[in-house]
Amino acid sequence: MVVSDRIDGRAGIARISAAALFALAGALFVVYPVVRPYAAGGAPDGRTEFASPWWLVAHLAAVGGFIAFGLALVLLAGLLEGTAGRRAGVVAVAASWIGIGLTLPYYGAETFALHTLGASGLDDGAVTALAESVRMGAAQATLFATGLLLVAVGAAAAAVAIARSRLLAGWSGIPMAVGFALFIPQFYADAPLRIAHGVLIGFGCAVVSLGLLRSQSPRSTMTGA
């Protein structure tokens, strides 16, 4: 009985921790587009946007969001042990962490290199040209796109794992998966749509978070059946 209580207690802690990490990830992905500076009239980002301290805050929020999301998936996969969602949960963790590893170097350059360019004193034309070379070089653009695609695969696998596990509502992971699937297209949208995309991911992560808080551990579910 004591061992059983300890197992249930650990599962409860893991469930609450996973819920907290999903909520944190969602909040950070909302902060990212909301506080990010945008050039007026849909113009390309330039010296003023890059030099703003909010440029740093926004992009560091995105970095934190990816890390929190990856950690949340690790805990989720652990909670799904013993359920039909176990294999999909493992795929979600593997795909997402490889994707996060490929994505974050690009965000490092976007955050710090472009901020330095914005504060460099160069004219707008030079800053824009250098920023384009930082962003769109073949190696970095390929790794970035591959990374985001793998994160989307991981989020989709997480949605499948959640549906198969029957520990949460079957649809719970879908909004989150859709949000990450749209991560690349949203870069070509204007500010309102980018903010809406951030809210979509925030909503999707919040749904999973609330579902975890309301769910039972696999062991508790089987015991009560």
Side-chain angles (χ1 to χ4, degrees):
M1 191 63 135
V2 173
V3 173
S4 171
D5 289 342
R6 286 179 179 174
I7 292 173
D8 285 344
R10 290 174 182 172
I13 292 170
R15 192 167 66 250
I16 292 169
S17 299
L21 284 167
F22 274 116
L24 175 61
L28 289 171
F29 280 119
V30 173
V31 169
Y32 168 40
V34 168
V35 306
R36 181 194 189 281
Y38 298 95
D45 298 323
R47 183 174 60 183
T48 301
E49 291 72 45
F50 298 149
S52 170
W54 291 108
W55 183 268
L56 291 176
V57 172
H59 289 80
L60 289 175
V63 169
F66 280 113
I67 293 171
F69 178 67
L71 292 174
L73 290 182
V74 172
L75 291 176
L76 177 66
L79 291 168
L80 298 185
E81 284 293 329
T83 74
R86 179 182 63 84
R87 290 185 180 179
V90 172
V91 172
V93 172
S96 294
W97 273 108
I98 294 171
I100 290 166
L102 295 176
T103 299
L104 291 190
Y106 189 96
Y107 266 93
E110 184 86 356
T111 304
F112 300 112
L114 298 191
H115 183 65
T116 299
L117 278 177
S120 66
L122 296 172
D123 62 60
D124 282 329
V127 168
T128 301
L130 288 170
E132 185 73 7
S133 65
V134 169
R135 285 172 158 172
M136 300 309 295
Q140 57 265 45
T142 300
L143 290 178
F144 185 55
T146 302
L148 288 177
L149 287 173
L150 284 171
V151 173
V153 169
V160 171
I162 288 169
R164 290 179 177 174
S165 74
R166 298 188 178 181
L167 298 179
L168 288 73
W171 61 271
S172 297
I174 294 176
M176 179 179 72
V178 171
F180 281 103
L182 294 174
F183 218 107
I184 292 177
Q186 61 92 27
F187 287 122
Y188 299 95
D190 57 12
L193 286 177
R194 294 193 65 173
I195 292 170
H197 174 258
V199 171
L200 173 60
I201 291 185
F203 171 74
C205 288
V207 169
V208 176
S209 176
L210 290 173
L212 285 168
L213 291 176
R214 294 172 178 172
S215 71
Q216 291 182 316
S217 68
R219 183 182 178 284
S220 298
T221 302
M222 290 186 288
T223 300

